Amino acid sequence: MQKRSEDGDFEKNRAEIMSNKKAAGRILSFLGILGILLFGLSRASVLMNRSVHPLFNYATSGIFAEEKESIDVLTIGDSDVYSGLIPAKLWELSGITSFSWGEPAQRPPETYSYLKKIYQEQNPQVVFIDVNHLFRDEKLSDNLDSITRAAIEKPFPVVLYHRKLDSFQNFLAQDYTITKGYLYRDDAKKPKMKKNHFKETGKITAIHPITRWYLERSVELCRKNGSSVVLLYIPTYKEWTYSNHNAVMELGSELGLPVLDLNLEMQEEIDWGTDTADYGYHLNYSGAQKVTDRIAKYLEDNYDLEDHRGDPAYQRWQKDSEAFRGEVEKEILEKERREKERQMQGA
Amino acid sequence: MPYNTWFYLLPFLGTSLLIYYLMPPRHRWTVLLCASILFYLIASGKLILVLAFTTLVIWGGALRIEAHRKTYLEIKDTLPKNERKEHKARMERQNGRVVFAACVIILGILFFTKYYNFVGSNLNLLMESLHIGARIPALRLVMPLGISFYTLSAVSYVTDVSRERCPAERNFFRLFLFLIFFPVITEGPISRYQQLGTELKTEHRFNYQEFCFGAQLIVWGLIQKVIFADWLNRYVREVFKYYKNYSGIIVILGMLIYTFQIYMDFDGCVNIARGSAQMFGIRLTENFRQPFFSTSAAEFWRRWHISLGAWLKDYVFYPISLSRFFQKLSKACRKHMNRYYASAVPTSAALLGVWLGNGIWHGAEWKYIFYGIYYYIILFASRMLEPVFDKICAKLKIDRKRKAWHHFQVARTFVIVNIGMLIFRAENLGAAGYMLKSMFVPWDAGEYGSLLRWSKIECNYAAAVWAGMVVAVILVFFVGLAHEKGIRIRESIAAMPVCLRWAIYMGAVLAVVIFGAYGPGFGEIDFIYAGF
C-alpha cells in the first residue's frame, strides 16, 4: 500500500515536472518571439529617430557614422547638450572635431553605457560630462529604474525612441549628420525671471550615491581611455540652482576634475529673453552660439588640441561646417519669409 | 516604487517569481516576505519600522484576545449557567479594550502622519480669529508608503480576531507579510486576513494558466495606466491648474476626462497588483466592478473601490448602528415614525460616519471632507425622498422596469459621479465651486483656443490623442459590458487557437511599448491613489 502511494506521488511529481517543463518551453518561446518583434521595432525606431532634414538630423547614432577615432571632443549628457553646443561652429572657430551626444532626459547609467559604446569607435581627447543629469534621480527607486532602462535600451532602443515610430519618411534619412548631434532651434521664449536666482547660498544639493557611482565609473572609463574629463554645466535657467552648483563644485574637487559652470560664468552674456527656446529649459541657437564660443576659448586655454582646418584628411568637416551654416541661413530666411507672410495676412 | 516602472516589472518581479518557484512550496511565503521587505525598503527606507510596529501591535493584541478567549473556554464548562454569561461579558469587555487600544495606536500613527498639519493649520486659523497668541507648529512629516491602506487592513485583522471571524496568527512574520505584501501595499485592495492571509498561507504550486492570466492582467493594467490614463494627464493638469482661464466645454471635458483618467489609473494599478499576485498563485479581491454601469450613487460605491466601501461598512457603519445610542434612536424612531422612516432615519444618521470617514481617508483637505459630505447628502436625500419619488413616478405613469428608465438612472449616476470627481480633483473647494459655475459660461476660445488642439501644452499628437481617447472609452465600455454579461475575456481568449491568442497578447505588449506615455517629455506620472 505504502509503495503504491509512493509510486503515485512519484508519478504525480513527474507529471508536474513534465508539465512545468512544457510550460517553461511555451513561456520561453513566447518571450523569444516577442524579443524578435521588439528587436525589429527597435531597429526601425533607431532609423526613424533620424531626420531627412539635414538641419534637424541630430540623432546620437550619427557619431557611429563618423570616421573612426576622428572626434577630438565629446560632450555627453541630456537635452541640454544637444541644445547647447554646436560642433560645426566649434570647428569654424578652432578646427576641433566634436560631437554633442545627448538623449532627452538621459540618466547617468545611460551615460556610462553610451560611453562604453562610443569608445569602441572613437577616442576623444576631452570629454565634457554634462552635470544637469546628475540631479534627476533623487530616490533609490528612480536610480534602480534608470539602471534597468539603460540595460533594456541596449538590445531594445525602441523603449527610448518609441515616439518616433510614426516618422516613416525618416527611413530615407542618413546616419551621417552635419549637425554632429546639435539640434537647431530658433524660438525665443523668455522664462519667468526670479529675483534671487543667482544669489549665493551655502546649501548643497544631495547627489544620490548610485548616480555618483555611475558618474565615477564614467570618469574612470574616460581616464582609462586617455581622455581628460571636465564637468560641464550648460546654462539652463529652469533647472540650475546655486545649491546644484555647490554640489558640482564639491564633486569636482573630490574627483579631481575641473568644473565649468557656464550658468554662473556666463550670467552676463546669456540673455534669457532671447537665448532660450522654451522658457529657460534649453538654449536656442543664439544661446548655443555663445556657449560654443566660450567652450572654444576654454579648450584653447586649457588643452593643446590640434587645429585640423586645412588638413586634407578633415576636408569633410570643412564641408559639413559650411553646409550647416548654409542650412541655418536658409532656415533664417525661411523664418523671415513666414513672418512677412503672417504680417501681410494680418494687415 | 511604482508598478509601471521597468525595475518593478522586469528585475524585481522577474527575480521574485524565479526564486519563488525554485523554492519548495512550504518555504515560498518567505520569498514573498523578503521581496516585500525589499520593495518597501526601496520605496520608503527606514519607515518600514513604522509598519513593523503596527504589525507588532496587532500581533500582540490578537494573541491577547485569543488568550482571554482561551481562558474563558477553559473554565466555561465548569461554571454554572448564570456565571457563564458574566464571564463571557467580562471576556468581551477585555477584548473590546484590547481592540480599542490597538486601534488607537495604529490609527493614531495614521492620524498623526496624515492629519497633524491639517488639524494644526486649521486650529491656528481658529486661534488667530479668536486672538489667541498660541500656535501649533507645522512639522515636516513623511508618510510611510501605503499607510492609509495597511492601517485599515490592520484594524480589520484585530477586530476580526475579536469577532471570531479569523484566528490569531501566531507567526509574527506571516502577519507582517499580510500587511506588507508588495502587490497590495501601494494602492490596495484593502485586504482581510481571512482572504489574503489564507492565500498567503496556502502552498501554491506552479500553475501555467494562473501564471499566464496574471501576466495578462498586468499587461491590461499597463494599457489602462500607461496608454489610457497617462496621455490624458496633460489636459487634466492644464484645466484644473489654470481653471480660471477656461469655461464651458473645456471645463466639462476636463471633468469627464479626469473621471476617465482616475478610473483607468486606479483600476490599472489594481490590475497590475492583482496580476502580480496571481503570477505567484495568489488571488486578490476585486476592487472595481464596472462602476459606470451603476444606477445609483449607492450602487456606484459598491462597485468603485469596493474594498474601501466594504471596510467602512464593516468597521464604521455596523459599530455605529449597533451602538447603544443608535439602538435608542432606532427605538425612538419606531415609536414616532412610520415603518419606512423608522428604518431609514437611524441608518442614514449612521451613514454620516461612513461618508465622513470616506472623505477624510482620501486626504487631509477640506475638499475631501466635502467630497464625503457630497455623497452623504445625495444618499441621504435619495433615501428620504424615495417615497416621494415613488409617488411622482406612479402619477406620471413611469414604468421603472423599462430599459429607458435604467439608462436614465445610469446617466444620472454618471453626472453625480463626475461632479464628485471634479470636487475631488480641484485645487481646493473654492476652485471646485468656480469650475462648476464656469461650466455654464460659454467658451470664448481667445488666447486659449488652442487647448482643444492640445497645443497649449505642447503635444504634437492632438488628433491622435483625441482619437485614441475615443477608442479607449469604447474599448473600456465593451470590456465592461462583457464583464456585466458574465463573459470572462481572458478565458475566451485562452480558448482561441494559439496563433490568434499569441497575436493578441503580443499586440497588447507592443501597444504598451509603442503607445505608452512614458519616457522623455512625460516624466513619471505617479499612480493617483498612491498619494492617499
Side-chain angles (χ1 to χ4, degrees), chain B residues 173-431:
Chain B
F173 293 102
R174 279 196 188 270
L175 192 61
F176 192 40
L177 174 60
F178 162 64
L179 289 191
I180 203 177
F181 186 43
F182 69 84
V184 299
I185 192 71
T186 310
E187 287 195 23
I190 299 158
S191 313
R192 306 292 178 90
Y193 195 75
Q194 304 92 295
Q195 194 272 327
L196 183 58
T198 314
E199 282 279 319
L200 290 170
K201 267 186 165 180
T202 311
E203 291 176 9
H204 298 279
R205 287 174 178 272
F206 180 78
N207 180 316
Y208 179 65
Q209 197 182 24
E210 285 288 295
F211 187 86
C212 293
F213 277 5
Q216 289 158 26
L217 204 52
I218 290 178
V219 175
W220 173 238
L222 285 171
I223 290 174
Q224 288 177 297
K225 164 71 180 159
V226 187
I227 305 183
F228 298 168
D230 288 354
W231 268 105
L232 306 176
N233 193 48
R234 292 176 178 212
Y235 188 94
V236 171
R237 195 177 51 197
E238 173 71 19
V239 173
F240 280 85
K241 195 169 179 189
Y242 305 105
Y243 59 94
K244 286 192 177 164
N245 294 339
Y246 304 109
S247 65
I249 185 73
I250 298 295
V251 179
I252 294 171
L253 276 174
M255 176 182 74
L256 294 172
I257 292 175
Y258 175 65
T259 302
F260 187 63
Q261 185 203 8
I262 193 171
Y263 178 35
M264 289 298 98
D265 188 282
F266 195 9
D267 193 31
C269 175
V270 171
N271 280 333
I272 299 172
R274 288 177 59 219
S276 303
Q278 199 172 357
M279 289 181 90
F280 292 98
I282 292 160
R283 292 275 182 142
L284 297 179
T285 53
E286 260 187 330
N287 219 20
F288 292 91
R289 212 171 39 243
Q290 299 78 254
F292 292 99
F293 286 91
S294 307
T295 54
S296 67
E299 190 189 350
F300 175 80
W301 278 98
R302 287 194 295 273
R303 289 165 170 261
W304 173 278
H305 204 174
I306 297 168
S307 60
L308 177 67
W311 191 94
L312 288 167
K313 189 177 81 181
D314 285 352
Y315 305 102
V316 178
F317 178 74
Y318 286 143
I320 291 176
S321 49
L322 294 175
S323 68
R324 265 188 221 154
F325 172 78
F326 270 83
Q327 294 296 325
K328 277 183 193 167
L329 177 72
S330 187
K331 219 174 175 182
C333 289
R334 276 201 298 271
K335 250 188 202 173
H336 303 289
M337 294 173 184
N338 67 27
R339 217 173 176 188
Y340 179 79
Y341 286 109
S343 146
V345 169
T347 311
S348 303
L351 277 173
L352 180 62
V354 170
W355 290 103
L356 276 177
N358 185 310
I360 292 169
W361 179 86
H362 281 97
E365 281 184 60
W366 283 110
K367 67 170 183 179
Y368 294 124
I369 295 172
F370 187 78
Y371 175 72
I373 292 172
Y374 165 78
Y375 272 106
Y376 176 70
I377 292 169
I378 285 167
L379 295 178
F380 181 76
S382 72
R383 190 87 201 263
M384 290 299 132
L385 298 174
E386 204 177 310
V388 182
F389 289 141
D390 288 346
K391 277 180 195 166
I392 293 171
C393 286
K395 269 204 172 165
L396 295 173
K397 292 182 182 162
I398 295 170
D399 181 3
R400 288 172 161 198
K401 283 175 188 160
R402 287 185 65 175
K403 270 206 166 167
W405 177 254
H406 175 84
H407 294 325
F408 163 73
Q409 283 181 306
V410 171
R412 183 190 60 188
T413 310
F414 184 72
V415 172
I416 290 170
V417 169
N418 271 279
I419 293 170
M421 289 303 182
L422 184 139
I423 298 167
F424 193 79
R425 175 62 175 82
E427 296 272 297
N428 49 50
L429 264 182

Side-chain angles (χ1 to χ4, degrees), chain A residues 22 27 29 44 111 126 136 142-143 148 153 170 211 260 272 282 284 291 312 327 335 339:
Chain A
K22 210 173 147 189
I27 292 167
S29 316
T111 300
V126 181
R136 286 189 187 278
D142 296 339
N143 275 283
T148 313
E153 272 169 22
N170 291 342
T211 298
L260 190 57
W272 290 106
H282 303 104
N284 59 15
V291 166
E327 288 295 335
K335 197 185 177 188
E339 203 66 35

Side-chain angles (χ1 to χ4, degrees), chain A residues 4-17:
Chain A
R4 193 180 286 174
S5 159
E6 276 172 10
D7 285 351
D9 281 353
F10 176 73
E11 281 302 316
K12 206 175 145 190
N13 284 340
R14 214 180 115 182
E16 197 179 306
I17 289 166

